[in-house]
Amino acid sequence: MTNKTDYPVQLVQPDGRRVFDREHAALIIDIGPAQLRAMYTDLVVTRRIDTEATALQRQGQLGLWAPMLGQEAAQVGSVYALRPDDYVFCSYREHAVAYCRGVHPTELTRMWRGVAHSCWDPDAVNMTNPNIIVGSQGLHATGYAYAAHLDGAEIATIAYFGDGASSQGDLAEALGFAASWGAPVVFFCQNNHWAISSPVRIQSATPIARRAYGYGIPGLQVDGNDVLAVLAVTRQAAARARTGGGPSFIEALTYRMGPHTTADDPTRYRSAAETEEWARRDPIARLRKLLEREELWDTAFERHVDASADEVAHQLRTATIDMPDPAPSQLFDHVYATPHPLITQERSEYAAYLAGDPGETTAPPEGVRT
């Protein structure tokens, strides 16, 4: 097996020049001017979502936010490779993935504002809500992928996680199960080089993609700031999953330009020089340079992109500030998938308590253990 990790896949250089790579360029041969412009628009819009949400947190409108600044190409490129019936298991930083899957901007901050336990309906977009437990989504994705395979569904399942999560036992177990069962899951590691304040060299002494080899899973590295390269390798892995080829592992080399979350101060553990070096590899600037080189850039398009970003930011901000506080009774919603007598009783007792008339505590329904 060729050691792809020695040469991360790249199709567009930071200066906008295309890279000759016959194998991977063939995977995106259908991406023409309209698609390139659409991807650029989504890169800009999702960055604006991120910066707007960060500003809302700084202004006290959100309790917390996990910025994705700098990682837009890894997310947009990979999600463009998916079909509507594919299923996405995310961590807590895949805001661009959610937007491109069809999550409306007005839904993106519900959990982060603290007015709901989730942001969107997973069934509406085939994507789970933000997952705070680091690495657990790998097991969820593997189980879902295997079950879908048993049901005869020809879909791909993708699990997003970071370099820090790659050291979690849950991910190791997921890789083991996926390899043993041939589960059609794509493990997509966004290596942004920092797990809070721990540099990636602490997570692994070798490229993270090589960990997949020990499980018998093909793995490769890709330039995570190159949206076309990410699209190509994710299409390849997703096609492998849909056609019975089993799991794949992608390590997208990118960089978290901002803090781990808005509760973090990255200046305490990394240098400005490092951040400046990665800023020169900015994924949005790279695609713009490609558009300019190929004469696909003009003032009208630029204005369209800016207007789109402004409109989405306005929707996000207005919806966040206007979000109503939930009714206390919503504590009991979605505890069970079907009505449950104990929950019905507790809802009634809590309503009476809030009304100032708790009354006598009643015994739980017969057969229900407390």
Side-chain angles (χ1 to χ4, degrees):
M1 180 175 184
T2 303
N3 188 359
K4 302 278 188 180
T5 58
D6 286 343
Y7 303 97
V9 177
Q10 185 183 77
L11 294 177
V12 181
Q13 297 181 47
D15 63 3
R17 289 181 297 169
R18 290 191 185 255
V19 176
F20 179 74
D21 179 334
R22 182 179 288 109
E23 175 187 357
H24 295 99
L27 296 167
I28 59 161
I29 196 169
D30 60 311
I31 303 299
Q35 292 88 347
L36 286 174
R37 283 183 159 192
M39 293 202 313
Y40 180 84
T41 302
D42 281 341
L43 289 173
V44 173
V45 169
T46 52
R47 176 168 291 186
R48 183 64 182 276
I49 286 172
D50 189 58
T51 55
E52 194 71 26
T54 299
L56 284 165
Q57 192 283 329
R58 299 305 191 203
Q59 294 160 8
Q61 298 296 336
L62 296 179
L64 190 71
W65 183 253
M68 64 169 193
L69 182 65
Q71 299 180 222
E72 296 88 358
Q75 296 189 23
V76 172
S78 58
V79 75
Y80 264 61
L82 304 179
R83 298 174 180 173
D85 57 346
D86 293 334
Y87 210 96
V88 176
F89 287 80
C90 64
S91 67
Y92 43 75
R93 204 182 301 278
E94 280 71 47
H95 316 304
V97 176
Y99 175 77
C100 291
R101 287 296 280 180
V103 174
H104 198 273
T106 58
E107 299 179 295
L108 287 170
T109 58
R110 293 176 63 207
M111 184 191 77
W112 304 101
R113 187 167 170 85
V115 300
H117 291 300
S118 60
C119 294
W120 57 81
D121 177 4
D123 288 341
V125 292
N126 280 356
M127 177 175 176
T128 59
N129 271 272
N131 184 66
I132 306 300
I133 302 173
V134 177
S136 63
Q137 68 271 26
L139 285 169
H140 304 157
T142 301
Y144 186 94
Y146 186 59
H149 168 71
L150 293 179
D151 286 344
E154 296 179 356
I155 67 168
T157 301
I158 186 168
Y160 288 91
F161 55 96
D163 46 292
S166 71
S167 294
Q168 292 287 344
D170 284 2
L171 252 300
E173 293 173 3
L175 289 165
F177 279 121
S180 298
W181 295 343
V185 58
V186 179
F187 293 96
F188 193 93
C189 175
Q190 292 180 84
N191 179 356
N192 65 23
H193 287 78
W194 289 95
I196 310 183
S197 59
S198 297
V200 67
R201 65 178 180 274
I202 294 178
Q203 308 300 331
S204 180
T206 64
I208 294 173
R210 289 185 182 176
R211 291 183 173 182
Y213 300 171
Y215 297 91
I217 297 175
L220 59 74
Q221 283 185 330
V222 62
D223 183 339
N225 285 6
D226 176 355
V227 69
L228 291 182
V230 174
L231 171 60
V233 300
T234 310
R235 276 183 168 181
Q236 190 175 47
R240 171 184 166 87
R242 297 187 195 105
T243 56
S248 303
F249 192 105
I250 297 170
E251 179 188 1
L253 298 171
T254 183
Y255 193 79
R256 168 170 55 81
M257 295 297 295
H260 173 72
T261 70
T262 47
D264 170 43
D265 178 7
T267 64
R268 299 184 63 182
Y269 54 80
R270 69 186 188 193
S271 68
E274 178 180 308
T275 306
E276 290 168 4
E277 177 185 354
W278 278 93
R280 291 191 288 272
R281 308 176 193 176
D282 182 87
I284 296 179
R286 183 182 307 199
L287 187 54
R288 172 170 175 162
K289 290 173 182 176
L290 174 66
L291 292 173
E292 291 172 341
R293 281 180 174 275
E294 301 189 353
E295 299 183 353
L296 299 175
W297 185 270
D298 55 48
T299 302
F301 174 62
E302 183 176 16
R303 289 174 178 169
H304 165 73
V305 173
D306 290 344
S308 298
D310 288 344
E311 175 58 26
V312 168
H314 173 73
Q315 293 175 0
L316 178 75
R317 172 170 287 275
T318 301
T320 299
I321 294 174
D322 292 344
M323 282 178 185
D325 291 334
S329 62
Q330 288 183 333
L331 278 170
F332 304 95
D333 293 346
H334 311 299
V335 177
Y336 289 93
T338 56
H340 191 286
L342 179 58
I343 295 298
T344 301
Q345 174 195 332
E346 291 178 343
R347 184 194 298 270
S348 177
E349 290 179 353
Y350 191 52
Y353 169 78
L354 292 175
D357 182 22
E360 294 184 4
T361 302
T362 57
E366 183 177 354
V368 175
R369 300 178 64 182
T370 58

